[in-house]
Amino acid sequence: MKQIFKSVFFIGVLILPFLLSAQNTPTINATVSGVVVDAQTNEKLVGATVSIKGTTNGAATDANGEFSLITGQKLPFTLIVSFVGYVKKEILINESKVEIKLEQDVNKLEDVVVSSRRRQEAVQDIPIPISVIRGATAEDAGAFNVNRLKELVPTVQLYASNARNTTLNIRGLGSTFGLTNDGIDPGVGFYVDGVYYARPAATALDFVDIDRVEVLRGPQGTLFGKNTTSGAFNITTREASFTPSASFELSYGNYGYIQAKGSLSGPLSKKLAARLSFSGTQRDGLLYNIKTQQHMNDINNLGVRGQLLYTPTDKIKITFIGDYTDQKPNGYGWPVAGVVTTKRAAYRQFNAIIADLNYKLPYSSPFERIVDLDTPSKADNQLGGASVNADIKIGNGTLTSTSAWRYWKWTPLNDRDYTGLPIFTISSGNSVHEQWSQEIRYSGKISSKVSGVVGVFGLWQDLKSDPVQTEEAGSAQWRFAQSSTSALWKTPGLFDNFGIRTTNRIQSTSLAVFSQADWAITEKLHVLPGVRYNYDKKVANYKRETYGGLQTTDAALVALKNGVYTNQAFDTEATNGNFSGQLTLQYKANSNLNAFATYAISYKPVGINIGGLPTANGQILLDLATVKPEFVKHIEVGLKTKPSANSVLNIVFFDDEIKDYQTQVQTPEPGVNRGYLANAEKVRVRGIELDGNIRASSHFTFNAAVAYTDGKYVSFINAPVPLEEVGGAQAFKDVSGGVLPGISKWSGSVGAEASAKGSLLGLKGNYFAALDVYFRSKFSSSPSPSEFLNIDGYSLLNGRVGFRASNGISLLFWSRNLGNKDYFEQLLAAPGSAGQYAGILGDPRTYGTTLRYSF
């Protein structure tokens, strides 16, 4: 299967030259140029979009309001010109140099154009709930990665204790909550320029030169390459341009924050353009480790992205993209946020244990932001790749081929016990990952009433230890592992430097065929059926070996050591094929009212535990090696409206029922790294989402989004007990009816921006001020509902003020978490279940200034 996939991958690359030669016809290029101005004031408009109708050829006006287009089309043809706050205009031109005047329109909102359905269309016309964040909006709001973007899209949840252990969910579904297990696939697709990023750590990258982010909610699989059961991020970067352009940005802030961004673009020849972008971000750590006398959890990121755009004819567009991201923070570590009294004997409680070891936490509150971790920490995260995308117009549609290779390298070192005691002195899950993907699809009109998409997709992954993963205990481990009053536990050196070295590997193959049609029964009534077939295969190898500690043949002492770490090895594989699909009914009553209803079934692929398995009576529980695929039944009813020409209001109701829900559960066994996977019999998530925006005038906009989400276990009869019940009569518990982790019943965001024309230091432009509020209600931070591992609701206030000059210069001052709210993003029980749990802290108040220049 691996060879078959690689053949498909390279065939996709090799057929491109033949497709190009078949389409390549001689053209005569000409230049069309001009200026775009305000119809009333004749003020030149900077950043207006000018494109040739019916083509992808377009440009933005420069600092002088001027544009230039190189085209092989013969005059006359139609230009489409748009600018925020102005009426979009189509103008037929007969000469190569023109002046275009735009009228202001305070009573009209600009339609957001997206490509989520593999064609350019207005977001309000699509029967899918989508949130769109423009690149400029994200930059102004300081949302330079997904973690900050969640504050603008309340249905997105992201939790991360480090880059690897990232949970990205939409509507509470997607990835397992807590620590990452490499044996399962994400339920939220993450695409950048059409390329699927398979590992959760990819979501930790900084946005580099982003044009827009489209967040699609609900199952996606009949349009996108990889099947995703709860939604997708479709990220589009700014294209290389035949019009020379550049942008530079520099930001300074408290805690030593500095960020530099830049982008250069322009033609290399008449048919070849290039774009080079970079981003660098640094910030001091927000925790101070008194043991190492260093700040932790800092930001130290570098990202580079290069593009080549080749347009041999007006029907062919080929994009070559390469990117590289390197992140080297000093961290991560977290303070102990609390201690739970478990069901274990009194001598096995955390406070009794540390008292016997003459240890005391050096802080009374985690929000003192100090720790005393005795293990130096690092979390080196490196990722990158290359892709080739070809769009070829054939007939009434476009044939697209996307070939990509990506890699990820993870080199961590963590203190898993969250204290200054030598309990777990080394935790280093070094990993390396490679993926190859190939997607070929055709999108276009079949007849006057039928359009659609049909495609094939392949993904092959190889994830393995690099070269070995290490867990090691220290001299204080005996007291935490102690499970009896026997004096043997105090044997000198019994657990000193006792650990395991693990080699593991998981190879995955995913192949799919997908299709979706849009049948216009009438002009107003559309039926959209979609179908998909998935084939998934995973092969896993796992082996760990113990080392160190007291070398002894005493059976009683060996038994104590085996209670902490044991040798373990297994080989397993899982294969699954399934059909999924959807049926959508759409009714466009008029241009201001779009109603739709969707029924879909979807699968999340079969999973394999690759972090070690629990044992019973000394035997490996091999039946836990494989987890069943998730089966999702999805119902959605939505209404997209434009109550007036200057407003948008959308509402969506959804109901998801998940069978064999894949969940991450913890075990008291330290050797089961990052917990293990299990299936909950049935889960249900339902809710309502409301979002809208209004432009009260050309100088004031208001937006809001609110979501109600109710997620619970309908049936999970064999869940591990919560932390406070560890050591009781039962190791498992029926948690049916309990809430799912990570879901707030209420979440939302509200924002407003006001602007006014003016001048600064002789520069004409617009002053602006904006405020955003993000809020969420309390939520559980434990896969098995716990009385103690719940996080209180909180609200965050973010603001910015600044000036945008018409010559491309912008200056803004910003602050995040203006109220300096102390809040947790996640609570994590320490391995071994002694009762302590760590708190992942939200950022305190941050502020700074940004200077930006574009031309």
Side-chain angles (χ1 to χ4, degrees):
M1 185 60 66
K2 174 180 175 181
Q3 294 302 321
I4 293 174
F5 177 80
K6 287 187 173 179
S7 298
V8 172
F9 176 82
F10 288 112
I11 287 171
V13 178
L14 292 174
I15 65 170
L16 289 179
F18 297 99
L19 292 171
L20 298 180
S21 62
Q23 294 291 322
N24 196 9
T25 56
T27 60
I28 301 173
N29 289 330
T31 300
V32 174
S33 60
V35 63
V36 180
V37 299
D38 184 297
Q40 279 72 45
T41 65
N42 278 328
E43 180 183 349
K44 294 176 180 178
L45 300 180
V46 179
T49 300
V50 184
S51 61
I52 300 175
K53 188 175 183 179
T55 75
T56 58
N57 191 356
T61 55
D62 61 17
N64 298 314
E66 297 175 351
F67 68 91
S68 179
L69 297 173
I70 299 175
T71 178
Q73 290 187 254
K74 294 181 179 179
L75 294 168
F77 52 76
T78 301
L79 292 181
I80 301 175
V81 188
S82 61
F83 189 63
V84 176
Y86 288 77
V87 178
K88 182 184 292 186
K89 187 173 186 177
E90 293 190 10
I91 179 172
L92 182 69
I93 63 169
N94 295 286
E95 52 190 349
S96 59
K97 192 169 185 65
V98 294
E99 182 183 69
I100 302 170
K101 296 185 176 183
L102 295 185
E103 298 278 351
Q104 287 195 39
D105 189 351
V106 300
N107 296 316
K108 184 173 181 179
L109 278 175
E110 183 186 27
D111 270 341
V112 179
V113 177
V114 297
S115 58
S116 301
R117 294 205 296 172
R118 303 316 193 192
R119 58 183 185 264
Q120 299 292 311
E121 55 190 339
V123 68
Q124 285 297 103
D125 293 336
I126 302 174
I128 301 173
I130 303 177
S131 299
V132 182
I133 307 297
R134 298 178 186 274
T137 302
E139 289 165 356
D140 284 351
F144 60 85
N145 55 28
V146 177
N147 192 33
R148 294 192 169 183
L149 194 69
K150 70 185 181 185
E151 296 173 12
L152 302 178
V153 187
T155 49
V156 171
Q157 298 95 27
L158 187 140
Y159 308 97
S161 55
N162 57 38
R164 182 203 191 112
N165 294 319
T166 298
T167 298
L168 178 60
N169 287 346
I170 294 176
R171 296 171 170 171
L173 301 173
S175 302
T176 54
F177 184 86
L179 302 176
T180 297
N181 191 303
D182 294 321
I184 63 167
D185 292 52
V188 173
F190 194 81
Y191 295 84
V192 180
D193 291 327
V195 177
Y196 175 73
Y197 286 24
R199 301 313 310 159
T203 61
L205 58 81
D206 287 357
F207 292 151
V208 180
D209 213 12
I210 295 296
D211 180 65
R212 66 181 181 275
V213 180
E214 302 164 19
V215 182
L216 291 79
R217 309 191 290 274
Q220 307 296 326
T222 57
L223 291 169
F224 281 82
K226 187 71 170 70
N227 192 37
T228 52
T229 54
S230 56
F233 276 71
N234 185 32
I235 298 173
T236 303
T237 65
R238 296 182 176 107
E239 279 192 341
S241 171
F242 285 95
T243 301
S245 63
S247 65
F248 300 98
E249 179 181 307
L250 188 62
S251 299
Y252 289 94
N254 60 337
Y255 298 106
Y257 176 81
I258 181 171
Q259 184 178 70
K261 291 183 179 182
S263 179
L264 291 168
S265 186
L268 300 180
S269 69
K270 290 183 178 180
K271 297 180 179 181
L272 185 66
R275 190 177 193 95
L276 180 64
S277 310
F278 71 89
S279 173
T281 308
Q282 290 188 341
R283 189 184 70 182
D284 297 338
L286 300 181
L287 290 180
Y288 185 72
N289 189 346
I290 60 175
K291 250 323 177 10
T292 62
Q293 297 188 5
Q294 291 181 333
H295 287 280
M296 297 182 63
N297 299 9
D298 60 343
I299 299 176
N300 186 14
N301 299 346
L302 176 67
V304 180
R305 188 175 190 84
Q307 292 187 50
L308 289 174
L309 174 63
Y310 179 51
T311 56
T313 75
D314 59 357
K315 292 186 177 182
I316 299 174
K317 183 175 75 171
I318 304 174
T319 306
F320 304 85
I321 299 177
D323 69 279
Y324 171 80
T325 294
D326 191 29
Q327 301 176 333
K328 291 186 176 179
N330 183 20
Y332 291 82
W334 308 105
V336 172
V339 177
V340 173
T341 301
T342 70
K343 297 289 186 182
R344 289 174 171 171
Y347 75 91
R348 299 191 67 190
Q349 304 298 325
F350 177 77
N351 288 331
I353 294 171
I354 64 173
D356 287 351
L357 296 172
N358 297 314
Y359 172 78
K360 184 179 180 181
L361 292 170
Y363 47 87
S364 57
S365 167
F367 293 104
E368 295 176 33
R369 299 184 185 270
I370 61 173
V371 292
D372 64 335
L373 307 182
D374 55 322
T375 299
S377 295
K378 68 175 181 177
D380 294 355
N381 188 43
Q382 187 182 99
L383 59 151
S387 67
V388 181
N389 186 90
D391 290 318
I392 304 160
K393 292 188 176 181
I394 299 176
N396 293 320
T398 301
L399 177 68
T400 299
S401 173
T402 304
S403 309
W405 164 82
R406 297 202 61 77
Y407 81 99
W408 169 60
K409 184 178 176 66
W410 174 244
T411 310
L413 182 60
N414 302 309
D415 192 321
R416 292 182 68 202
D417 54 71
Y418 312 130
T419 73
L421 289 167
I423 307 167
F424 296 101
T425 55
I426 296 178
S427 178
S428 182
N430 296 19
S431 299
V432 63
H433 170 264
E434 284 188 282
Q435 69 171 74
W436 295 263
S437 63
Q438 175 66 55
E439 182 173 349
I440 301 173
R441 67 176 182 274
Y442 182 80
S443 173
K445 277 189 169 292
I446 300 171
S447 69
S448 60
K449 291 193 173 184
V450 179
S451 61
V453 177
V454 61
V456 295
F457 175 79
L459 173 70
W460 183 78
Q461 302 179 65
D462 188 4
L463 175 61
K464 56 188 176 183
S465 51
D466 183 34
V468 66
Q469 299 176 348
T470 305
E471 296 282 332
E472 186 175 296
S475 59
Q477 177 61 247
W478 74 270
R479 187 61 184 86
F480 282 82
Q482 184 179 6
S483 59
S484 72
T485 55
S486 169
L488 291 176
W489 290 100
K490 297 181 180 181
T491 302
L494 182 61
F495 296 108
D496 291 10
N497 305 115
F498 177 50
I500 49 175
R501 296 187 179 98
T502 301
T503 56
N504 55 43
R505 185 178 189 181
I506 182 166
Q507 296 170 286
S508 305
T509 300
S510 300
L511 303 175
V513 180
F514 59 90
S515 179
Q516 181 170 305
D518 185 338
W519 176 27
I521 299 176
T522 69
E523 185 179 350
K524 296 181 178 180
L525 183 63
H526 290 235
V527 175
L528 297 89
V531 67
R532 179 186 183 92
Y533 177 76
N534 294 304
Y535 169 82
D536 293 283
K537 181 178 181 179
K538 296 182 178 179
V539 179
N541 315 104
Y542 180 88
K543 182 180 180 180
R544 74 179 188 222
E545 296 178 317
T546 58
Y547 69 91
L550 181 67
Q551 300 303 301
T552 179
T553 58
D554 186 304
L557 293 178
V558 170
L560 296 185
K561 291 179 67 178
N562 287 342
V564 176
Y565 292 128
T566 59
N567 295 332
Q568 187 175 116
F570 62 87
D571 299 320
T572 188
E573 68 176 62
T575 303
N576 184 259
N578 52 67
F579 282 96
S580 59
Q582 69 170 57
L583 181 64
T584 297
L585 186 66
Q586 179 183 20
Y587 182 71
K588 297 181 181 179
N590 52 53
S591 60
N592 297 323
L593 186 62
N594 178 17
F596 59 92
T598 297
Y599 175 78
I601 60 172
S602 184
Y603 286 88
K604 188 176 174 184
V606 63
I608 291 181
N609 277 299
I610 199 64
L613 294 173
T615 58
N617 301 319
Q619 300 298 313
I620 302 172
L621 298 178
L622 283 174
D623 58 330
L624 297 178
T626 302
V627 288
K628 301 174 185 176
E630 278 186 6
F631 173 60
V632 179
K633 288 196 295 185
H634 172 78
I635 297 174
E636 188 168 71
V637 179
L639 192 65
K640 295 186 174 184
T641 72
K642 295 181 179 179
S644 65
N646 66 333
S647 63
V648 166
L649 181 64
N650 302 326
I651 186 169
V652 176
F653 165 81
F654 66 92
D655 190 329
D656 288 312
E657 188 177 276
I658 303 97
K659 181 182 178 184
D660 294 322
Y661 172 76
Q662 295 173 352
T663 183
Q664 178 89 352
V665 296
Q666 294 283 26
T667 172
E669 294 187 46
V672 183
N673 192 14
R674 293 182 295 279
Y676 67 97
L677 296 169
N679 288 114
E681 296 83 16
K682 192 174 182 181
V683 160
R684 186 169 193 173
V685 181
R686 56 173 62 170
I688 298 176
E689 300 161 347
L690 184 70
D691 66 86
N693 55 77
I694 185 170
R695 176 175 288 137
S697 70
S698 60
H699 303 298
F700 182 80
T701 59
F702 176 83
N703 63 82
V706 63
Y708 171 82
T709 310
D710 181 27
K712 66 179 182 180
Y713 295 107
V714 176
S715 176
F716 194 8
I717 61 176
N718 204 32
V721 295
L723 181 59
E724 63 266 28
E725 297 181 29
V726 168
Q730 303 294 328
F732 296 92
K733 180 181 181 180
D734 186 347
V735 297
S736 302
V739 298
L740 289 178
I743 300 178
S744 291
K745 281 202 170 184
W746 291 99
S747 60
S749 62
V750 178
E753 180 171 326
S755 63
K757 289 188 175 183
S759 61
L760 178 67
L761 301 177
L763 299 175
K764 291 184 178 181
N766 289 284
Y767 287 95
F768 66 92
L771 284 176
D772 301 291
V773 178
Y774 167 73
F775 64 90
R776 65 180 305 181
S777 60
K778 71 175 183 178
F779 61 97
S780 167
S781 190
S782 172
S784 292
S786 168
E787 181 183 347
F788 298 93
L789 299 182
N790 294 315
I791 295 178
D792 292 334
Y794 57 87
S795 298
L796 302 177
L797 177 64
N798 306 319
R800 57 193 180 275
V801 295
F803 180 79
R804 300 186 186 101
S806 58
N807 67 348
I809 293 177
S810 296
L811 175 67
L812 64 140
F813 300 91
W814 46 264
S815 179
R816 301 176 60 79
N817 190 7
L818 267 166
N820 203 26
K821 173 70 175 178
D822 288 335
Y823 66 99
F824 293 114
E825 291 197 339
Q826 197 175 349
L827 299 174
L828 293 174
S833 301
Q836 83 273 31
Y837 58 90
I840 298 177
L841 311 180
D843 287 356
R845 181 193 297 119
T846 56
Y847 52 85
T849 183
T850 297
L851 178 65
R852 187 180 300 136
Y853 178 50
S854 301
F855 63 89

